[in-house]
């Protein structure tokens, strides 16, 4: 509740109805979802392409061309689709969609126009830069890497443009604004690499029949990137929670808090599913490979892990859909609802709380949280790697023992399936 001095200092706000905090039209959220999915998928697909390029080249030219072609084409499609998705998102208005107005605001000479232009146009330019990678087979590896990195940089800049302030902050707020923008970049880039990487693995798994050696290396590399993404999203999410929420009760008493609570539940479910992937799915795949299971990865996943893959894709898409519903701040919504209970002027503009002040305890708690997240992330990745190696070693030893048994039976003239033959 508000203290007596605060209420006494603001008598003009007194017995207005509680402020409305609607979620907004479903259509608007769907349009925002489309723009986020295309932008983030573009960045994540290119990041995965860079990460798995070496394992693909280590096999043969066919595998390298297949991986390069599929991931690059997927990134080109995402980059091209990002332009109409972002433009539609920018064209939203109360009476419909003003595409002409949105188009003329791109690069209109203002900082806001420059950022809007970067967000809409850079992914399209990056997609055009990638076309030689898929249209010409004779490109050198260095040139392909350069084109990918250039396109990836443009995609990251487009993502950054969504959160860079259009107005220069006051000198006293510059450090805070820079840090907050950095936190948003961790949040967005981490999510992009995670989302796009998963989509890229699905694209590669469909009717590709890639060698098991590629999948073992590719999955481990993506797992390392995903663990880093989890750390980045967790740390930035803790900062954003601190900035906009004044306590766990606001997760239930404000609209912002309830939406954020749904997002936290989805992210927590993804963490649980990620732990299942890291400590069960990936070690099982490595063990299957070590035991001589050379079936395509799609067959293994479709028969043994369909629920895990399907639920992970659904949760990530749901998380991206919920995010655009976050409007305002739980702190201000709770504060304004409390002020409205005591106001006498229903038309008065409700006040807002100032931003939280950073203290020494804030830095100490933030440093401790950062260290804890990093320790848990690194320890989890290293433990999952050891678990995978142990299972692979046991499966390999079992396979060698079975082959040795069959060889002995063959030397003794015993046919498999006859009395005395080994059974599995």
């Amino acid at each position: 509740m508000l203290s007596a001095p605060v209420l006494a200092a603001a008598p003009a706000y007194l017995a207005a109805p509680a402020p409305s905090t609607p979620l907004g039209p479903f259509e608007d959220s769907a349009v925002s979802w489309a723009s986020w999915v295309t932008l983030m998928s573009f960045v994540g697909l290119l990041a995965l392409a860079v990460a798995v390029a070496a394992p693909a080249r280590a096999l043969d030219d066919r595998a390298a061309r297949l991986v390069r072609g599929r991931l690059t084409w997927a990134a080109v499609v995402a980059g091209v689709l990002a332009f109409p998705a972002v433009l539609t998102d920018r064209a939203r208005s109360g009476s419909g969609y003003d595409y002409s107005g949105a188009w003329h605001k791109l690069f209109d000479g203002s900082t806001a126009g420059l950022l809007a232009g970067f967000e809409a146009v850079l992914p399209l330019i990056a997609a055009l830069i990638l076309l030689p990678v898929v249209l010409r087979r004779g490109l050198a590896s260095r040139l392909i890497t350069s084109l990918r990195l250039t396109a990836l940089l443009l995609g990251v800049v487009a993502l950054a443009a969504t959160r860079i302030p259009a107005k220069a902050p006051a000198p006293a707020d510059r450090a805070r604004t820079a840090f907050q923008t950095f936190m948003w970049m961790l949040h967005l880039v981490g999510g992009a690499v995670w989302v796009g990487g998963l989509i890229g693995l699905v694209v590669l798994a469909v009717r590709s029949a890639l060698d098991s050696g590629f999948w073992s290396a590719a999955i481990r590399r993506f797992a390392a990137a995903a663990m880093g993404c989890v750390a980045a999203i967790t740390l930035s999410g803790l900062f954003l929670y601190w900035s906009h929420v004044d306590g766990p009760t606001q997760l239930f008493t404000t609209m912002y808090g309830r939406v954020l609570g749904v997002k936290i539940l989805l992210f927590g479910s993804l963490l649980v599913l990620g732990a299942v992937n890291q400590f069960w799915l990936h070690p099982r795949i490595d063990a299957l490979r070590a035991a001589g299971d050379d079936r395509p990865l799609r067959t293994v996943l479709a028969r043994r892990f369909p629920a895990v893959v399907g639920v992970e894709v659904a949760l990530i898409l749901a998380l991206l859909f919920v995010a655009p519903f976050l409007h305002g701040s739980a702190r201000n919504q709770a504060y304004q609802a409390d002020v409205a209970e005591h106001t006498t002027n229903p038309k008065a503009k409700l006040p807002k709380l100032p931003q939280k002040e950073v203290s020494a305890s804030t830095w100490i708690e933030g440093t401790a949280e950062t260290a804890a997240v990093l320790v848990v992330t690194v320890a989890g990745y290293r433990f999952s790697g050891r678990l995978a190696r142990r299972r692979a070693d046991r499966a390999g030893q079992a396979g060698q023992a079975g082959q040795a048994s069959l060889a002995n039976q063959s030397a003794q003239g015993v046919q498999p399936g006859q009395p005395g033959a080994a059974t599995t």
Side-chain angles (χ1 to χ4, degrees):
M1 296 294 292
L2 293 177
S3 63
V6 173
L7 291 176
Y13 299 116
L14 290 176
S20 175
T21 54
L23 292 176
F26 179 86
E27 181 183 356
D28 290 351
S29 296
V31 170
S32 295
W33 177 80
S35 64
W36 283 117
V37 168
T38 51
L39 284 173
M40 298 176 76
S41 296
F42 178 78
V43 172
L45 285 165
L46 287 179
L48 180 67
V50 173
V52 301
R57 288 196 300 266
L59 294 179
D60 51 48
D61 291 339
R62 187 197 69 83
R65 288 196 302 270
L66 188 148
V67 172
R68 179 182 67 210
R70 288 200 176 189
L71 292 181
T72 306
W73 268 122
V76 168
V77 171
V80 171
L81 291 179
F83 178 76
V86 172
L87 191 63
T88 301
D89 192 26
R90 292 277 178 179
R92 284 183 301 166
S93 63
S95 58
Y97 294 90
D98 182 11
Y99 286 97
S100 177
W103 173 260
H104 286 95
K105 288 181 181 178
L106 303 181
F107 302 109
D108 61 357
S110 65
T111 303
L114 179 65
L115 294 174
F118 283 167
E119 181 184 354
V121 175
L122 288 186
L124 180 60
I125 295 175
L128 297 177
I129 291 175
L130 291 173
L131 284 179
V133 177
V134 291
L135 296 179
R136 298 189 61 182
R137 294 185 177 183
L139 292 181
S141 298
R142 290 186 177 181
L143 179 57
I144 293 174
T145 301
S146 299
L147 293 176
R148 281 175 174 167
L149 292 177
T150 301
L152 179 60
L153 177 61
L154 293 178
V156 172
V157 173
L159 267 182
T162 63
R163 292 300 176 183
I164 294 177
K167 295 182 179 180
D173 296 332
R174 288 176 182 173
R176 181 191 182 95
T177 302
F179 184 78
Q180 188 169 0
T181 303
F182 175 71
M183 286 292 104
W184 269 115
M185 287 307 302
L186 284 181
H187 212 65
L188 294 178
V189 175
V193 173
W194 196 359
V195 173
L198 180 64
I199 293 174
L201 290 179
V202 173
V203 169
L204 291 178
V206 176
R207 302 181 64 84
S208 63
L210 287 166
D211 187 82
S212 60
F214 166 79
W215 284 115
S216 296
I219 288 176
R220 290 304 297 173
R221 288 187 175 216
F222 175 70
M227 295 288 278
C229 292
V230 167
I233 294 171
T234 302
L235 291 175
S236 56
L238 288 171
F239 171 77
L240 296 173
Y241 175 88
W242 173 83
S243 299
H244 296 290
V245 183
D246 271 341
T249 58
Q250 291 185 357
L251 295 176
F252 305 95
T253 59
T254 65
M255 182 61 71
Y256 183 97
R258 287 190 284 271
V259 175
L260 180 60
V262 173
K263 185 179 176 182
I264 291 174
L265 287 176
L266 290 173
F267 181 68
S269 300
L270 278 170
L271 288 183
V272 173
L273 193 58
V276 172
N277 291 341
Q278 196 72 15
F279 298 107
W280 181 71
L281 188 147
H282 296 164
R284 288 286 296 274
I285 291 177
D286 288 342
L288 288 172
R289 297 311 188 197
D293 189 342
D294 291 327
R295 291 174 296 168
L297 182 68
R298 65 179 183 276
T299 304
V300 177
L301 292 178
R303 292 183 179 179
R304 293 178 178 265
F305 319 111
V308 175
V309 176
V311 171
E312 186 169 2
V313 172
L315 285 176
I316 288 179
L317 294 178
L319 182 64
L320 290 178
F321 184 76
V322 169
F325 285 104
L326 287 172
H327 301 291
S329 167
R331 298 175 65 242
N332 280 319
Q333 289 176 9
Y335 173 68
Q336 290 176 347
D338 206 359
V339 169
E341 292 180 0
H342 304 85
T343 59
T344 57
N345 183 4
K347 296 183 179 181
K349 184 177 180 180
L350 293 172
K352 291 184 179 181
L353 288 172
Q355 291 185 335
K356 286 185 178 180
E357 295 294 333
V358 179
S359 62
S361 62
T362 306
W363 285 107
I364 294 173
E365 293 174 1
T367 302
E369 291 171 350
T370 302
V373 170
L374 293 178
V375 167
V376 171
T377 302
V378 174
Y381 180 75
R382 291 177 65 88
F383 177 75
S384 67
R386 291 181 181 179
L387 182 62
R389 287 191 295 271
R390 289 175 184 174
R391 288 190 174 182
D393 291 342
R394 286 198 299 266
Q397 292 172 3
Q400 292 175 2
Q403 292 176 1
S405 176
L406 290 175
N408 290 335
Q409 293 170 13
S410 177
Q412 295 172 6
V414 179
Q415 297 297 324
Q418 293 181 348
T423 59
T424 59

